[in-house]
Amino acid sequence: MKKIVSVILLAIVIVSCKSEPKDYVTLSGKIENVNDQKKITILNRTGFKKEISVTEDGTFSDTLKVVEGRYNFTDGNQYGSIYLKNDNTTSFTVDAEDFDNTLKFTGDEADKNNFMIANMLLQANYLSEDIFDGDEATFEKAFADLKSAFEELKSNNKTLDSTFLASDNKDFDMMYKSYKNYHSGKLALRKELPTGMESPKFENYENFAGGTTSLSDLKGKYVYIDVWATWCGPCKREIPSLKKVEAKYHDKNIEFVSISVDDARRSGSDEKAYEAWRTMVAEKELGGVQLFSDNAWKSDFIQAYKINGIPRFILIDPDGNIVTPDAPRPSSKSLINLFDALSI
């Protein structure tokens, strides 16, 4: 009898020692060269958002109650993807100065998380901005090569469940369709505003340096036009590259012209839009010819070039004819290749 009671008591002890599944995930790690705000933000498409403090030495640790699935995290202007599930312990390390190449996960679901990193790197490698500057064959080849690399990545991660991979397959198809539509729009624009066609003109746009400038004033030189606005993030990210290109070609037969389309819709009033333009040109020490469009998005020049998104870059030849209505960005290697082909 005594032996039976001891067995029962032992069983009770074993059961009581079993921990209940945690209704949260523990997330920790270390970030080298962390952003000045000393925090990372976890968020997803359904509205989940949590900020996690990062110490001076870059370490962090916190718990989050989540619905299992994919989330994004940001460190300043860097971002990555992360798979989270309650009752898990997940950790990552990264150097913010080389974010994509140093991000590495350990702990639960590390296989899923590191797969997402590898997939992200594939896309960055195969889908540079340059694929939009070429023809349809160039675009399709880039995606075909990416598809082949993606299939190889999946075959090297056979332990991942099919449900998880189904999401990546769906995202790949959606990405292709989205990029395809964007590229098709670019090809249609080039067809409607072909090389050699006389360029639409702008007249008497206010010049930051004083007076006004018209396109006809620049005849005799190539004109590389950047259509931008002070509130446009992608526009501002091109500024450092644009400055480098301007410096490289400052003594060549080309003018670099930036046209602001700042307007009351974003700034609150025409006066505030104008002041935002003048302030940023001064503070960022923007070079080239800095112009303010006469009627923002409704300007004849802007509408003639069918500009409904910025930044947009345009290249016009010395005779005032279109080279391309959708020139490569300053950050694209294709731009220098184009300039070289034109012997600029």
Side-chain angles (χ1 to χ4, degrees), residues 266-277:
R266 291 273 186 168
S267 303
S269 70
D270 290 336
E271 292 76 15
K272 289 181 179 179
Y274 176 76
E275 286 305 319
W277 167 65

Side-chain angles (χ1 to χ4, degrees), residues 133-162:
D133 298 328
D135 56 18
E136 186 172 5
T138 302
F139 175 86
E140 293 296 344
K141 184 180 185 306
F143 256 96
D145 291 344
L146 172 59
K147 179 70 172 177
S148 177
F150 179 54
E151 293 299 331
E152 182 178 356
L153 176 64
K154 289 191 293 183
S155 69
N156 292 334
N157 289 269
K158 294 180 180 179
T159 58
L160 295 175
D161 63 79
S162 58

Side-chain angles (χ1 to χ4, degrees), residues 10-11 31 34 43 57 74 192-193 196 199 226 270 281 316 340:
L10 180 60
I31 302 174
V34 67
L43 63 163
D57 67 357
T74 64
E192 192 164 350
L193 295 165
S199 173
D226 167 20
D270 290 336
V281 171
I316 299 169
D340 288 347

Side-chain angles (χ1 to χ4, degrees), residues 115-132:
F115 174 87
M116 290 193 294
I117 296 172
N119 191 21
M120 176 185 68
L121 290 173
L122 282 182
Q123 293 175 23
N125 184 42
Y126 286 94
L127 301 182
S128 68
E129 187 71 25
D130 295 350
I131 69 167
F132 297 117

Side-chain angles (χ1 to χ4, degrees), residues 25-29 40-44 48 52 60 64 66-74 79-85 88-93 99 103-106 108-110 112-117 120 164:
V25 56
T26 300
L27 179 63
S28 63
I40 59 173
T41 304
I42 312 294
L43 63 163
N44 68 5
F48 178 93
I52 299 176
F60 63 90
L64 305 84
V66 299
V67 175
E68 181 180 356
R70 299 169 188 245
Y71 291 75
N72 292 323
F73 70 92
T74 64
Y79 74 93
S81 298
I82 185 170
Y83 194 91
L84 297 175
K85 179 181 178 182
N88 277 357
T89 299
T90 298
S91 182
F92 70 82
T93 56
F99 194 91
L103 180 59
K104 185 172 180 59
F105 286 88
T106 55
D108 297 318
E109 310 295 352
K112 290 185 174 70
N113 282 312
N114 288 317
F115 174 87
M116 290 193 294
I117 296 172
M120 176 185 68
F164 174 81

